[in-house]
Amino acid sequence: MIIVLVTFPISSELDAASLKDKFLETAPIYKEAPGLLRKNYIFDVEKHRAGGVYCFDTMENAKNWFDEQRIEWITQRYSKPDLQFFESPVLVDNDKGQIIS
């Protein structure tokens, strides 16, 4: 599995409720993302940062998703994102009571 950590600065005018609304507005986009297993939206209002933690099945799908067009969309919606790609060889899934490797 591949984890992509995406973070970006946000306006100090955004609060938790408005961020949640913005996140819910875009959430349906990710239902059809090729190879995306899950996405968690994240924010820290006090530090003026937000983003997402994405779990993809392959590096190819992760990199294809974050093409130049997607980066530009994020930049225009919030600000220029910082992306970090990580291999995730082991997952502890407490909902299913499993360790997956």
Side-chain angles (χ1 to χ4, degrees):
M1 286 177 287
I2 304 300
I3 302 298
V4 185
L5 175 60
V6 178
T7 59
F8 43 80
I10 56 171
S11 168
S12 59
E13 296 175 8
L14 290 172
D15 62 11
S18 61
L19 278 169
K20 183 177 179 181
D21 288 344
K22 286 177 86 67
F23 293 164
L24 285 169
E25 179 182 302
T26 61
I29 294 168
Y30 300 97
K31 291 177 76 175
E32 302 299 322
L36 181 65
L37 304 174
R38 72 185 47 85
K39 175 187 178 180
N40 292 72
Y41 288 87
I42 58 174
F43 68 83
D44 184 331
V45 173
E46 291 179 14
K47 293 183 180 175
H48 312 295
R49 295 210 50 90
V53 179
Y54 300 74
C55 181
F56 282 92
D57 58 353
T58 66
M59 183 66 78
E60 179 181 12
N61 281 331
K63 292 207 176 208
N64 285 341
W65 180 257
F66 288 105
D67 60 11
E68 288 182 29
Q69 189 175 16
R70 178 95 37 220
I71 299 303
E72 181 60 29
W73 180 81
I74 294 169
T75 301
Q76 289 190 9
R77 188 165 173 82
Y78 298 103
S79 63
K80 185 162 177 56
D82 175 53
L83 281 73
Q84 298 177 15
F85 293 80
F86 299 93
E87 296 278 345
S88 179
V90 177
L91 167 71
V92 177
D93 187 332
N94 286 333
D95 282 339
K96 295 181 181 176
Q98 297 177 328
I99 297 175
I100 303 164
S101 68

